[in-house]
Coordinates of all heavy atoms in Angstrom, one line a residue:
L1 N 3.7 -21.0 -7.3 CA 3.3 -19.8 -8.1 C 4.4 -19.0 -8.5 O 4.5 -18.5 -9.7 CB 2.2 -19.0 -7.2 CG 1.8 -17.7 -7.9 CD1 0.8 -18.1 -9.2 CD2 1.0 -16.9 -7.0
L2 N 5.3 -18.7 -7.6 CA 6.4 -17.8 -7.9 C 7.3 -18.4 -9.0 O 7.9 -17.7 -9.8 CB 7.2 -17.5 -6.6 CG 6.5 -16.6 -5.6 CD1 7.4 -16.5 -4.4 CD2 6.3 -15.2 -6.2
I3 N 7.5 -19.7 -8.9 CA 8.4 -20.4 -9.9 C 7.7 -20.4 -11.2 O 8.4 -20.3 -12.2 CB 8.8 -21.8 -9.3 CG1 9.7 -21.6 -8.1 CG2 9.5 -22.6 -10.4 CD1 10.0 -23.0 -7.4
S4 N 6.4 -20.7 -11.2 CA 5.7 -20.9 -12.5 C 5.4 -19.7 -13.2 O 5.1 -19.7 -14.5 CB 4.4 -21.7 -12.3 OG 3.5 -20.9 -11.6
S5 N 5.4 -18.5 -12.6 CA 4.9 -17.3 -13.3 C 6.0 -16.2 -13.2 O 6.4 -15.7 -12.1 CB 3.7 -16.7 -12.6 OG 3.3 -15.6 -13.1
P6 N 6.5 -15.7 -14.4 CA 7.5 -14.6 -14.3 C 6.9 -13.4 -13.8 O 7.6 -12.5 -13.2 CB 7.9 -14.5 -15.8 CG 6.8 -15.2 -16.6 CD 6.2 -16.2 -15.7
Y7 N 5.5 -13.2 -14.0 CA 4.8 -12.0 -13.5 C 5.0 -11.9 -12.0 O 5.1 -10.9 -11.4 CB 3.4 -11.9 -13.9 CG 3.2 -11.8 -15.4 CD1 2.5 -12.8 -16.1 CD2 3.6 -10.6 -16.0 CE1 2.4 -12.6 -17.5 CE2 3.4 -10.4 -17.4 CZ 2.8 -11.5 -18.1 OH 2.5 -11.2 -19.4
A8 N 4.8 -13.1 -11.3 CA 4.7 -13.1 -9.9 C 6.1 -12.8 -9.3 O 6.3 -12.0 -8.4 CB 4.3 -14.5 -9.4
I9 N 7.2 -13.3 -9.9 CA 8.5 -13.1 -9.5 C 8.9 -11.6 -9.6 O 9.5 -10.9 -8.7 CB 9.6 -14.0 -10.2 CG1 9.3 -15.4 -9.8 CG2 11.0 -13.6 -9.8 CD1 10.1 -16.4 -10.6
I10 N 8.6 -11.0 -10.8 CA 8.9 -9.6 -11.0 C 8.0 -8.7 -10.1 O 8.6 -7.8 -9.6 CB 8.6 -9.3 -12.5 CG1 9.7 -10.1 -13.4 CG2 8.6 -7.8 -12.8 CD1 9.3 -10.0 -14.9
T11 N 6.8 -9.1 -9.9 CA 6.0 -8.2 -9.1 C 6.6 -8.2 -7.6 O 6.5 -7.2 -7.0 CB 4.5 -8.7 -9.1 OG1 4.1 -8.7 -10.5 CG2 3.6 -7.9 -8.3
V12 N 6.9 -9.4 -7.2 CA 7.3 -9.4 -5.7 C 8.7 -8.7 -5.6 O 8.9 -7.9 -4.7 CB 7.6 -10.9 -5.3 CG1 8.4 -11.0 -4.0 CG2 6.2 -11.6 -5.1
A13 N 9.6 -8.8 -6.7 CA 10.8 -8.1 -6.6 C 10.6 -6.6 -6.7 O 11.2 -5.8 -5.9 CB 11.8 -8.5 -7.8
V14 N 9.8 -6.1 -7.5 CA 9.5 -4.7 -7.6 C 8.7 -4.2 -6.4 O 8.9 -3.1 -5.9 CB 8.8 -4.3 -9.0 CG1 8.4 -2.9 -9.0 CG2 9.7 -4.7 -10.1
A15 N 7.9 -5.0 -5.9 CA 7.1 -4.7 -4.6 C 8.1 -4.5 -3.4 O 7.9 -3.6 -2.6 CB 6.1 -5.7 -4.3
Y16 N 9.2 -5.3 -3.4 CA 10.2 -5.1 -2.3 C 10.8 -3.7 -2.5 O 11.0 -3.1 -1.5 CB 11.2 -6.2 -2.4 CG 12.3 -6.0 -1.4 CD1 12.1 -6.4 -0.1 CD2 13.5 -5.5 -1.8 CE1 13.1 -6.1 0.9 CE2 14.6 -5.2 -0.8 CZ 14.3 -5.6 0.5 OH 15.3 -5.3 1.4
I17 N 11.2 -3.4 -3.7 CA 11.9 -2.1 -4.0 C 10.9 -1.0 -3.6 O 11.3 0.0 -2.9 CB 12.3 -2.0 -5.4 CG1 13.4 -3.0 -5.7 CG2 12.7 -0.6 -5.8 CD1 13.7 -3.2 -7.2
S18 N 9.6 -1.0 -4.0 CA 8.7 -0.1 -3.7 C 8.4 0.1 -2.2 O 8.4 1.1 -1.6 CB 7.4 -0.4 -4.4 OG 6.3 0.6 -4.1
G19 N 8.2 -1.1 -1.6 CA 8.1 -1.1 -0.1 C 9.3 -0.6 0.6 O 9.1 0.2 1.6
H20 N 10.5 -0.8 0.1 CA 11.7 -0.3 0.7 C 11.7 1.2 0.6 O 12.1 2.0 1.6 CB 12.9 -0.9 0.1 CG 14.2 -0.5 0.7 ND1 14.6 -1.1 1.9 CD2 15.2 0.3 0.4 CE1 15.7 -0.6 2.3 NE2 16.1 0.3 1.3
L21 N 11.3 1.8 -0.5 CA 11.2 3.2 -0.7 C 10.2 3.8 0.2 O 10.4 4.9 0.8 CB 11.0 3.5 -2.2 CG 11.0 5.0 -2.5 CD1 12.3 5.7 -2.2 CD2 10.7 5.2 -4.1
W22 N 9.0 3.2 0.3 CA 8.0 3.7 1.2 C 8.5 3.7 2.7 O 8.2 4.6 3.4 CB 6.7 2.9 1.1 CG 5.8 3.4 0.0 CD1 5.4 2.6 -1.0 CD2 5.3 4.7 -0.2 NE1 4.6 3.3 -1.8 CE2 4.5 4.6 -1.4 CE3 5.3 5.9 0.4 CZ2 3.8 5.7 -1.9 CZ3 4.7 7.0 -0.1 CH2 4.0 6.9 -1.3
T23 N 9.2 2.7 3.1 CA 9.7 2.7 4.5 C 10.7 3.8 4.7 O 10.8 4.4 5.7 CB 10.3 1.3 4.9 OG1 11.3 1.0 4.0 CG2 9.2 0.2 5.0
Y24 N 11.5 4.1 3.6 CA 12.4 5.2 3.7 C 11.7 6.4 3.9 O 12.0 7.3 4.7 CB 13.3 5.2 2.4 CG 14.2 6.5 2.4 CD1 15.2 6.6 3.3 CD2 13.8 7.5 1.6 CE1 16.0 7.9 3.2 CE2 14.5 8.7 1.6 CZ 15.6 8.9 2.4 OH 16.3 10.0 2.4
I25 N 10.7 6.7 3.2 CA 9.8 7.9 3.3 C 9.2 8.0 4.6 O 9.3 9.0 5.3 CB 8.8 7.9 2.1 CG1 9.4 8.1 0.7 CG2 7.8 9.1 2.4 CD1 8.5 7.9 -0.3
I26 N 8.7 7.0 5.1 CA 8.0 7.0 6.4 C 9.0 7.3 7.5 O 8.8 8.1 8.3 CB 7.3 5.6 6.6 CG1 6.1 5.5 5.7 CG2 6.8 5.5 8.1 CD1 5.5 4.1 5.7
F27 N 10.1 6.6 7.6 CA 11.0 6.7 8.7 C 11.9 7.9 8.6 O 12.3 8.5 9.6 CB 11.9 5.4 8.9 CG 11.1 4.3 9.3 CD1 11.1 3.1 8.6 CD2 10.2 4.3 10.4 CE1 10.4 2.0 9.0 CE2 9.5 3.3 10.8 CZ 9.6 2.1 10.1
A28 N 12.2 8.4 7.4 CA 13.1 9.6 7.3 C 12.3 10.8 7.5 O 12.9 11.8 7.9 CB 13.7 9.5 5.8
Y29 N 11.0 10.9 7.1 CA 10.3 12.1 7.2 C 9.2 12.2 8.1 O 8.8 13.3 8.5 CB 9.8 12.5 5.7 CG 10.9 12.8 4.8 CD1 11.2 11.8 3.8 CD2 11.7 13.9 4.9 CE1 12.1 12.0 2.8 CE2 12.7 14.0 4.0 CZ 13.0 13.1 3.0 OH 14.0 13.3 2.1
F30 N 8.6 11.1 8.6 CA 7.4 11.2 9.4 C 7.4 10.4 10.7 O 6.8 10.8 11.6 CB 6.2 10.6 8.5 CG 5.9 11.3 7.3 CD1 6.2 10.8 6.1 CD2 5.4 12.6 7.4 CE1 5.9 11.6 5.0 CE2 5.2 13.4 6.2 CZ 5.4 12.8 5.0
S31 N 8.3 9.4 10.8 CA 8.3 8.6 12.1 C 9.7 8.3 12.5 O 10.6 8.1 11.7 CB 7.6 7.3 11.8 OG 7.7 6.5 12.9
K32 N 9.9 8.3 13.8 CA 11.3 8.0 14.3 C 11.4 6.6 14.9 O 12.4 6.2 15.4 CB 11.7 9.0 15.3 CG 11.7 10.4 14.8 CD 12.7 10.6 13.6 CE 12.7 11.9 13.0 NZ 13.2 12.1 11.7
R33 N 10.3 5.8 14.8 CA 10.3 4.4 15.3 C 11.2 3.6 14.4 O 11.1 3.6 13.2 CB 8.9 3.9 15.5 CG 8.1 4.5 16.5 CD 6.7 4.0 16.6 NE 6.6 2.7 16.2 CZ 5.4 2.2 15.9 NH1 4.3 2.8 16.1 NH2 5.3 0.8 15.5
E34 N 12.0 2.8 15.0 CA 13.0 2.0 14.2 C 12.4 0.5 14.1 O 12.6 -0.1 13.0 CB 14.3 1.9 14.8 CG 15.0 3.3 14.8 CD 15.3 3.8 13.5 OE1 15.6 3.0 12.6 OE2 15.1 5.0 13.2
K35 N 11.9 0.0 15.0 CA 11.5 -1.5 15.0 C 10.0 -1.7 14.7 O 9.2 -1.5 15.5 CB 11.8 -2.1 16.3 CG 13.3 -2.4 16.5 CD 13.8 -3.5 15.6 CE 15.2 -3.8 15.9 NZ 15.7 -4.8 14.9

């Protein structure tokens, strides 16, 4: 699916960026747990 659809690849790549930003928000401002 990832190879056959450019939408899937782009969505997963942007989802990683978004998830990375959410984890930054969570760990920088709300939680001190690291693992």
